[in-house]
Amino acid sequence: VNPAPVQHARRLLRDAAPRVCTVVGFPLGASRAAVKAFEAARAIEEGAEEIDMVMNVGALLDGALDRVRADIEGVVEAAGDRIVKVILETEFLDAEGIAAACRLSVEAGARFVKTSTGFASQGAREDHVRLMREIVGVRAGVKASGGIRDLRAALAMLKAGANRIGASAGTAIVDALRRP
């Protein structure tokens, strides 16, 4: 959920299995690092159990790798033992950029790297997921997100190395699994 309804979502899901996850620096990732860390800390206080942060793609493209790493570290520190997923927005990165973003995310303590916010014109691609898995290995999870609209696409992402899928069509995908 977006940050504003975290407390409400937590109350609704108090005794349920789903975890409350929220976003920080969403959707552009261009917020200052201190603002992202504050957003994460506030979300945790309000009941978020996972944080999806948008990486500062502009800083990565500018070669400001220390700034990107510090940005991620600040959110990871604010989140404590909660899962932090770093959204790379892979559409805007070449293979070298994706690899660098994955390495920085793992070095900074993130538990997952994620393809997309779903707001870019292109979402998850199999070749990007494969590269992300190759770079993070078993040190982090890979979440394929954006543009995954059916069971075939979800299975392709899992085969490419994703171990989580983000899809607004999740119900349809699960329903397709149940059909004979």
Side-chain angles (χ1 to χ4, degrees), residues 99-120:
C102 287
R103 282 192 291 275
L104 291 168
S105 296
V106 170
E107 289 169 8
R111 305 255 299 275
F112 276 83
V113 289
K114 181 176 170 180
T115 56
S116 174
T117 60
F119 279 84

Side-chain angles (χ1 to χ4, degrees), residues 35-114:
V35 171
K36 288 182 188 177
F38 174 81
E39 275 188 293
R42 181 68 182 262
I44 297 301
E45 287 172 14
E46 293 180 351
E49 297 166 280
E50 293 191 11
I51 301 290
D52 284 14
M53 69 167 293
V54 185
M55 181 189 71
N56 187 331
V57 177
L60 183 81
L61 293 173
D62 287 344
L65 304 184
D66 288 340
R67 203 164 95 216
V68 174
R69 185 184 300 106
D71 187 44
I72 299 167
E73 285 172 344
V75 171
V76 168
E77 183 178 322
D81 62 350
R82 298 347 180 269
I83 290 175
V84 172
K85 297 183 287 295
V86 179
I87 304 170
L88 310 183
E89 210 65 278
T90 55
E91 174 181 352
F92 304 121
L93 303 173
D94 59 14
E96 185 178 306
I98 292 170
C102 287
R103 282 192 291 275
L104 291 168
S105 296
V106 170
E107 289 169 8
R111 305 255 299 275
F112 276 83
V113 289
K114 181 176 170 180

Side-chain angles (χ1 to χ4, degrees), residues 33 40 59 65 70 85 95 104 125-126 158 171 176:
L65 304 184
K85 297 183 287 295
L104 291 168
R125 287 181 19 191
E126 290 175 59
L158 293 171
T171 302

